[in-house]
Short mmCIF file of all heavy atoms in Angstrom, two decimals:
data_model
loop_
_atom_site.label_atom_id
_atom_site.label_comp_id
_atom_site.label_asym_id
_atom_site.label_seq_id
_atom_site.Cartn_x
_atom_site.Cartn_y
_atom_site.Cartn_z
N ARG A 1 -13.92 8.24 0.84
CA ARG A 1 -13.87 6.85 0.60
C ARG A 1 -12.88 6.66 -0.65
O ARG A 1 -12.02 5.75 -0.64
CB ARG A 1 -15.21 6.23 0.26
CG ARG A 1 -15.14 4.71 -0.03
CD ARG A 1 -16.42 4.07 0.06
NE ARG A 1 -16.34 2.66 -0.11
CZ ARG A 1 -17.19 1.73 0.16
NH1 ARG A 1 -18.30 2.14 0.78
NH2 ARG A 1 -16.98 0.46 0.00
N ALA A 2 -13.04 7.50 -1.68
CA ALA A 2 -12.25 7.37 -2.84
C ALA A 2 -10.75 7.71 -2.48
O ALA A 2 -9.81 7.07 -3.00
CB ALA A 2 -12.70 8.34 -3.99
N ALA A 3 -10.53 8.73 -1.66
CA ALA A 3 -9.15 9.08 -1.25
C ALA A 3 -8.49 7.99 -0.52
O ALA A 3 -7.26 7.70 -0.80
CB ALA A 3 -9.23 10.36 -0.36
N ALA A 4 -9.18 7.30 0.37
CA ALA A 4 -8.59 6.22 1.12
C ALA A 4 -8.34 5.00 0.15
O ALA A 4 -7.30 4.48 0.29
CB ALA A 4 -9.49 5.84 2.28
N ALA A 5 -9.32 4.75 -0.64
CA ALA A 5 -9.13 3.55 -1.58
C ALA A 5 -7.96 3.78 -2.56
O ALA A 5 -7.20 2.84 -2.81
CB ALA A 5 -10.43 3.40 -2.37
N LEU A 6 -7.77 4.98 -2.96
CA LEU A 6 -6.61 5.31 -3.83
C LEU A 6 -5.34 5.12 -3.19
O LEU A 6 -4.37 4.49 -3.73
CB LEU A 6 -6.74 6.78 -4.31
CG LEU A 6 -5.99 7.24 -5.57
CD1 LEU A 6 -6.43 6.45 -6.78
CD2 LEU A 6 -6.27 8.76 -5.73
N ALA A 7 -5.20 5.61 -1.97
CA ALA A 7 -3.98 5.43 -1.21
C ALA A 7 -3.79 3.98 -0.84
O ALA A 7 -2.66 3.44 -0.82
CB ALA A 7 -3.99 6.37 0.03
N ARG A 8 -4.90 3.33 -0.45
CA ARG A 8 -4.80 1.86 -0.09
C ARG A 8 -4.21 0.99 -1.14
O ARG A 8 -3.38 0.11 -0.93
CB ARG A 8 -6.28 1.43 0.27
CG ARG A 8 -6.37 -0.05 0.58
CD ARG A 8 -6.14 -0.29 2.02
NE ARG A 8 -4.75 -0.57 2.26
CZ ARG A 8 -4.08 -0.29 3.41
NH1 ARG A 8 -4.66 0.21 4.41
NH2 ARG A 8 -2.78 -0.70 3.55
N SER A 9 -4.68 1.26 -2.41
CA SER A 9 -4.23 0.42 -3.48
C SER A 9 -2.71 0.56 -3.75
O SER A 9 -2.00 -0.38 -4.02
CB SER A 9 -5.00 0.72 -4.85
OG SER A 9 -4.75 2.07 -5.22
N GLU A 10 -2.24 1.82 -3.61
CA GLU A 10 -0.83 1.99 -3.80
C GLU A 10 0.00 1.46 -2.69
O GLU A 10 1.08 0.80 -2.85
CB GLU A 10 -0.51 3.52 -3.94
CG GLU A 10 -0.89 4.13 -5.29
CD GLU A 10 -0.28 3.39 -6.44
OE1 GLU A 10 1.00 3.42 -6.56
OE2 GLU A 10 -0.94 2.74 -7.19
N ALA A 11 -0.48 1.64 -1.42
CA ALA A 11 0.21 1.06 -0.28
C ALA A 11 0.30 -0.42 -0.38
O ALA A 11 1.36 -1.03 -0.07
CB ALA A 11 -0.48 1.54 1.09
N ASP A 12 -0.81 -1.03 -0.66
CA ASP A 12 -0.81 -2.55 -0.85
C ASP A 12 0.12 -2.98 -1.90
O ASP A 12 0.78 -4.05 -1.72
CB ASP A 12 -2.19 -2.99 -1.09
CG ASP A 12 -3.06 -2.95 0.19
OD1 ASP A 12 -2.57 -2.69 1.30
OD2 ASP A 12 -4.33 -3.18 0.02
N ARG A 13 0.22 -2.25 -3.01
CA ARG A 13 1.06 -2.63 -4.11
C ARG A 13 2.55 -2.68 -3.60
O ARG A 13 3.31 -3.57 -3.98
CB ARG A 13 0.90 -1.71 -5.21
CG ARG A 13 1.66 -2.10 -6.51
CD ARG A 13 1.08 -1.28 -7.70
NE ARG A 13 1.30 0.12 -7.60
CZ ARG A 13 2.38 0.64 -8.09
NH1 ARG A 13 3.35 -0.05 -8.66
NH2 ARG A 13 2.55 1.97 -8.04
N PHE A 14 2.92 -1.70 -2.81
CA PHE A 14 4.33 -1.73 -2.32
C PHE A 14 4.58 -2.65 -1.20
O PHE A 14 5.70 -3.19 -1.10
CB PHE A 14 4.64 -0.29 -1.87
CG PHE A 14 5.13 0.68 -2.94
CD1 PHE A 14 4.21 1.23 -3.80
CD2 PHE A 14 6.51 0.97 -3.09
CE1 PHE A 14 4.73 2.00 -4.85
CE2 PHE A 14 6.91 1.80 -4.13
CZ PHE A 14 6.01 2.37 -5.01
N THR A 15 3.58 -2.92 -0.39
CA THR A 15 3.66 -4.02 0.59
C THR A 15 3.83 -5.33 0.01
O THR A 15 4.70 -6.17 0.46
CB THR A 15 2.49 -3.98 1.54
OG1 THR A 15 2.28 -2.71 2.25
CG2 THR A 15 2.57 -5.04 2.58
N LEU A 16 3.21 -5.65 -1.11
CA LEU A 16 3.32 -6.93 -1.74
C LEU A 16 4.69 -7.12 -2.33
O LEU A 16 5.30 -8.19 -2.37
CB LEU A 16 2.26 -7.04 -2.96
CG LEU A 16 0.97 -7.40 -2.39
CD1 LEU A 16 -0.10 -7.27 -3.62
CD2 LEU A 16 0.83 -8.85 -1.89
N ARG A 17 5.36 -5.98 -2.76
CA ARG A 17 6.70 -6.03 -3.25
C ARG A 17 7.70 -6.44 -2.11
O ARG A 17 8.64 -7.10 -2.34
CB ARG A 17 7.19 -4.71 -3.86
CG ARG A 17 6.42 -4.33 -5.11
CD ARG A 17 7.08 -2.98 -5.56
NE ARG A 17 6.42 -2.45 -6.77
CZ ARG A 17 6.71 -1.29 -7.29
NH1 ARG A 17 7.66 -0.57 -6.72
NH2 ARG A 17 6.07 -0.87 -8.40
N ASN A 18 7.46 -5.88 -0.92
CA ASN A 18 8.32 -6.15 0.17
C ASN A 18 7.55 -6.25 1.52
O ASN A 18 7.37 -5.28 2.20
CB ASN A 18 9.35 -4.98 0.28
CG ASN A 18 10.37 -5.21 1.41
OD1 ASN A 18 10.38 -6.23 2.05
ND2 ASN A 18 11.16 -4.26 1.68
N PRO A 19 7.00 -7.45 1.83
CA PRO A 19 6.20 -7.59 2.99
C PRO A 19 6.91 -7.31 4.27
O PRO A 19 6.25 -7.09 5.31
CB PRO A 19 5.77 -9.02 2.93
CG PRO A 19 5.89 -9.45 1.47
CD PRO A 19 7.08 -8.66 0.99
N SER A 20 8.25 -7.21 4.27
CA SER A 20 8.91 -6.90 5.51
C SER A 20 8.89 -5.47 5.81
O SER A 20 9.30 -5.03 6.90
CB SER A 20 10.45 -7.42 5.39
OG SER A 20 11.11 -6.62 4.41
N LYS A 21 8.36 -4.73 4.94
CA LYS A 21 8.25 -3.23 5.08
C LYS A 21 6.81 -2.85 4.74
O LYS A 21 6.53 -2.23 3.69
CB LYS A 21 9.22 -2.46 4.21
CG LYS A 21 9.16 -0.97 4.44
CD LYS A 21 10.21 -0.22 3.51
CE LYS A 21 10.02 1.23 3.50
NZ LYS A 21 10.29 1.93 4.81
N PRO A 22 5.82 -3.21 5.58
CA PRO A 22 4.44 -2.97 5.22
C PRO A 22 4.22 -1.41 5.20
O PRO A 22 4.76 -0.71 5.91
CB PRO A 22 3.70 -3.59 6.37
CG PRO A 22 4.66 -3.71 7.47
CD PRO A 22 6.01 -3.90 6.88
N ARG A 23 3.28 -1.01 4.35
CA ARG A 23 2.98 0.38 4.15
C ARG A 23 1.56 0.59 4.68
O ARG A 23 0.67 -0.22 4.48
CB ARG A 23 3.06 0.87 2.73
CG ARG A 23 4.33 0.42 2.03
CD ARG A 23 5.64 0.96 2.65
NE ARG A 23 6.79 0.48 1.95
CZ ARG A 23 7.45 1.24 1.00
NH1 ARG A 23 7.04 2.46 0.80
NH2 ARG A 23 8.49 0.77 0.43
N PHE A 24 1.32 1.81 5.34
CA PHE A 24 0.05 2.10 5.92
C PHE A 24 -0.58 3.36 5.33
O PHE A 24 0.11 4.20 4.81
CB PHE A 24 0.22 2.25 7.41
CG PHE A 24 0.78 1.01 8.15
CD1 PHE A 24 2.15 0.92 8.33
CD2 PHE A 24 -0.09 0.04 8.49
CE1 PHE A 24 2.67 -0.24 8.92
CE2 PHE A 24 0.49 -1.17 9.12
CZ PHE A 24 1.79 -1.27 9.32
N VAL A 25 -1.91 3.45 5.51
CA VAL A 25 -2.63 4.54 5.04
C VAL A 25 -3.24 5.38 6.23
O VAL A 25 -3.93 4.81 7.05
CB VAL A 25 -3.79 4.21 4.09
CG1 VAL A 25 -4.62 5.42 3.71
CG2 VAL A 25 -3.18 3.53 2.87
#
């Protein structure tokens, strides 16, 4: 759960910067 949450927070941060290039975990 911690591993996924850690990656999730970083992926979402980059998606917010550029929603046309969403990032996935």
Side-chain angles (χ1 to χ4, degrees):
R1 182 166 183 163
L6 198 61
R8 176 84 270 152
S9 65
E10 285 303 295
D12 286 351
R13 188 162 66 87
F14 275 75
T15 299
L16 283 170
R17 289 183 186 177
N18 182 8
S20 66
K21 183 180 170 66
R23 313 301 180 98
F24 300 95
V25 174

